[in-house]
C-alpha cells in the first residue's frame, strides 16, 4: 500500500508546476483555487488539471465552502510517504554498511596477500 502511494506521488511530483503548487500550499496553508491560479501564468483550466492530479495522488485535499474550493496539503499522505522514505533510506544504509564491511575485508586480504608475496 505504501509503495502504491509512493508511486502515485512520484508521478504527481514529476511536474514542476505541481511541485510549485505544493510549495505554495506548504507556505500558505489553505488556499482557494483562485488564489493558487494567481501564482501562475498558465490558464486556470491548466492549474485545475494539476490540482486534480494532486488530489488523485492524495497530496492535497479540497474542501468546498460555499462557492469556493479550498485546497490544503494532505498531512496523512505526506506522513505515510515520509515513513516510506525513511524505510527505504534505512534499507539502503544497511546495504551500504554491509558493502563497506565486505570491501574492508577484501582490502585487508589484499594487503595480507601483498605482504606474503614479498
Amino acid at each position: 500500500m505504501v509503495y502504491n502511494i509512493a508511486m502515485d506521488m512520484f508521478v504527481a511530483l514529476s511536474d514542476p508546476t505541481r511541485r510549485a503548487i505544493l510549495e505554495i500550499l506548504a507556505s500558505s496553508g489553505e488556499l482557494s483555487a483562485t488564489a493558487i491560479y494567481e501564482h501562475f501564468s498558465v490558464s486556470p483550466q491548466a492549474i485545475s488539471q494539476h490540482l486534480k492530479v494532486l488530489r488523485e495522488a492524495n497530496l492535497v485535499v479540497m474542501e468546498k465552502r460555499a462557492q469556493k474550493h479550498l485546497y490544503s496539503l494532505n498531512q496523512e499522505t505526506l506522513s505515510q510517504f515520509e515513513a516510506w522514505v525513511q524505510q527505504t533510506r534505512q534499507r539502503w544504509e544497511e546495504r551500504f554498511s554491509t558493502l563497506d564491511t565486505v570491501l574492508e575485508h577484501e582490502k585487508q586480504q589484499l594487503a595480507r596477500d601483498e605482504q606474503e608475496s614479498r
Side-chain angles (χ1 to χ4, degrees):
M1 179 177 149
V2 174
Y3 177 77
N4 290 338
I5 291 168
M7 292 310 296
D8 290 344
M9 291 181 69
F10 285 131
V11 170
L13 295 172
S14 67
D15 185 273
T17 301
R18 291 193 286 267
R19 290 192 305 268
I21 291 170
L22 292 174
E23 290 174 17
I24 291 165
L25 289 172
S27 64
S28 302
E30 188 176 75
L31 287 175
S32 69
T34 304
I36 295 170
Y37 301 151
E38 292 172 354
H39 287 87
F40 299 94
S41 60
V42 296
S43 71
Q45 293 83 2
I47 297 301
S48 181
Q49 280 301 113
H50 287 300
L51 289 167
K52 179 182 177 187
V53 171
L54 292 170
R55 277 194 325 271
E56 289 173 351
N58 292 318
L59 287 166
V60 299
V61 291
M62 186 266 297
E63 182 181 338
K64 191 171 182 179
R65 288 191 204 145
Q67 298 299 319
K68 287 186 175 185
H69 292 152
L70 298 172
Y71 291 86
S72 60
L73 295 177
N74 185 337
Q75 297 300 327
E76 182 180 334
T77 299
L78 293 173
S79 293
Q80 290 173 345
F81 183 68
E82 182 181 10
W84 177 83
V85 168
Q86 288 175 352
Q87 289 172 355
T88 302
R89 179 183 299 142
Q90 181 179 356
R91 196 172 313 122
W92 278 104
E93 286 174 357
E94 289 169 0
R95 290 175 181 172
F96 285 131
S97 178
T98 301
L99 179 60
D100 285 343
T101 302
V102 169
L103 291 175
E104 185 59 36
H105 180 265
E106 289 295 316
K107 184 177 168 183
Q108 291 172 0
Q109 185 63 44
L110 281 172
R112 281 193 297 269
D113 290 349
E114 192 175 290
Q115 284 180 350
E116 289 175 4
S117 68
R118 288 185 196 169

